[in-house]
Amino acid sequence: MMAMAFDRAGAPLQRVERALPTLRPGHILVRVSACGICRTDLHVIDGELPHPKPHVIPGHEIIGRIVAVSAGVRGFKTGDRVGVPWLGATCGRCEFCRSGQENLCNRPHFTGYTLDGGYAEYASADADYAFAIPPQYSDAEAAPLMCAGLIGYRAWKQVNEARRLGIYGFGAAAHIVAQLAVYHDQEVYAFTRAGDAPAQRLARQLGARWAGASEEKPPKPLDGAIIFAPVGPLVPLALAALAKGGTLVLGGIHMTEIPAMPYELLWGERVIRSVANLTRQDAKEFLKIAPRVPIRPQVAMFDLADANAALDRLRAGELTGAAVLVPQA
Ligand SMILES: [Zn+2]
Ligand SMILES: [Zn+2]
């Protein structure tokens, strides 16, 4: 099968021919029809996340059809459409797994990082961590739901009571969360890089009350905010826009250093917290809500072989909405 694989940190992905993944017990083999590109893929490729699987195939927003199931798989059969997310496997035994916090597992596996992912024609996955996809979505539309949607949803749950919600970094996750928030009658304030007119336009189209540059103050203080951009200096900016008692959620897996800041930005019972990975429960909830809203991901499709060009555009901030790789038929 054809795949795009990690070579070394900072280098472009390499186009490789690989044998089909061997089917381990409890696993499914999926013919990939779409795989979303996530900011985390860039962190893997750029060497910002430690110890990736050597020569790993990135990609953790996989949509495809099952072509083989191994013994012990329940709930799926050949031909079913499934989604495979970032959370690839957990130990099931550590204190976090046993307390409903499998997203914090001490011995986790992650798709497209410690396990081969979906920048390929085929991928294997532990069936217990894969999901049926609502029929309302095309393969390409469904792909960003698997991470931008799921992690976005988990981040949003921390601020779903906020009347005025700020979102910093208006990319794939933000454009999904904005739809969720508007559906729940929250006022959305979208913050982008200065001058990013396409992202600001998309935010307004999706129902944002206001869209502007991250350095700008919103017209009214925010009750909650989420930062999706991996940019530490956004933290004091977002805190300065937050009302007393407000919560700031950091939704990315990696962030540049957070600068020193005066305590008064945090004073007044403002809260900063991160959100790490996802649980299968998050996925079950989100995949039920998404078609009800209905959340409509805006996708730009690229041929799988053009993964490096698509990643370069994401790095340069030239993509609006979500990018999705599609293997050639
Ligand atoms: Zn992701
Ligand atoms: Zn565990």
Side-chain angles (χ1 to χ4, degrees):
M1 68 168 188
M2 195 280 254
M4 301 297 288
F6 178 81
D7 180 24
R8 64 197 145 74
L13 296 176
Q14 276 194 326
R15 185 183 170 138
V16 294
E17 282 296 326
R18 292 257 182 102
L20 282 186
T22 44
L23 204 52
R24 292 190 287 139
H27 280 54
I28 49 178
L29 181 64
V30 176
R31 190 188 161 92
V32 178
S33 48
C35 183
I37 295 181
C38 172
R39 193 68 184 67
T40 298
D41 302 341
L42 278 184
H43 296 314
V44 171
I45 293 162
D46 292 344
E48 288 162 337
L49 299 182
H51 313 303
K53 174 181 188 278
H55 306 289
V56 70
I57 299 170
H60 55 269
E61 297 184 309
I62 305 173
I63 303 294
R65 279 166 190 74
I66 297 176
V67 292
V69 293
S70 75
V73 169
R74 274 168 306 178
F76 289 121
K77 59 183 188 317
T78 302
D80 286 352
R81 182 167 80 148
V82 290
V84 180
W86 169 248
L87 189 72
T90 56
C91 78
R93 291 186 300 274
C94 73
E95 64 196 280
F96 298 103
C97 283
R98 283 188 283 116
S99 63
Q101 296 176 287
E102 63 182 1
N103 60 309
L104 302 179
C105 175
N106 286 333
R107 287 177 295 278
H109 278 291
F110 297 116
T111 312
Y113 177 33
T114 66
L115 304 168
D116 280 327
Y119 287 17
E121 291 173 310
Y122 292 87
S124 74
D126 186 325
D128 287 343
Y129 294 81
F131 299 96
I133 299 300
Q136 292 88 338
Y137 292 102
S138 71
D139 294 343
E141 270 184 327
L145 300 180
M146 286 294 102
C147 182
L150 291 183
I151 306 270
Y153 172 70
R154 186 174 176 84
W156 172 78
K157 280 204 288 187
Q158 307 300 327
V159 284
N160 60 3
E161 300 286 324
R163 196 156 80 83
R164 285 187 280 272
L165 175 66
I167 305 179
Y168 288 78
F170 209 84
H175 98 290
I176 289 175
V177 168
Q179 297 178 53
L180 201 54
V182 168
Y183 175 73
H184 285 89
D185 292 325
Q186 292 175 290
E187 294 176 16
V188 172
Y189 297 78
F191 297 82
T192 73
R193 296 185 208 208
D196 189 350
Q200 294 178 9
R201 202 177 312 125
L202 175 61
R204 287 195 202 93
Q205 273 169 21
L206 296 174
R209 280 286 167 102
W210 178 91
S214 300
E215 295 74 19
E216 287 178 57
K217 271 269 172 72
K220 288 177 183 164
L222 307 169
D223 306 304
I226 308 173
I227 299 180
F228 287 117
V231 181
L234 288 175
V235 171
L237 286 175
L239 281 173
L242 213 55
K244 284 183 283 190
T247 295
L248 173 59
V249 180
L250 311 183
I253 191 170
H254 172 84
M255 193 177 234
T256 57
E257 197 156 314
I258 300 171
M261 58 187 186
Y263 177 56
E264 65 186 83
L265 286 178
L266 192 59
W267 170 248
E269 301 199 342
R270 291 173 181 87
V271 173
I272 307 180
R273 64 161 295 165
S274 65
V275 155
N277 313 314
L278 68 136
T279 66
R280 285 172 282 180
Q281 184 58 30
D282 294 327
K284 274 180 206 139
E285 292 169 15
F286 177 68
L287 290 172
K288 221 177 267 172
I289 294 170
R292 218 183 288 153
V293 172
I295 288 169
R296 282 285 160 215
Q298 182 156 321
V299 298
M301 291 201 264
F302 295 86
D303 193 278
L304 172 58
D306 297 330
N308 287 313
L311 288 161
D312 285 345
R313 289 188 57 183
L314 176 62
R315 187 182 278 112
E318 290 170 4
L319 290 168
T320 305
V324 175
L325 297 176
V326 180
Q328 225 150 32

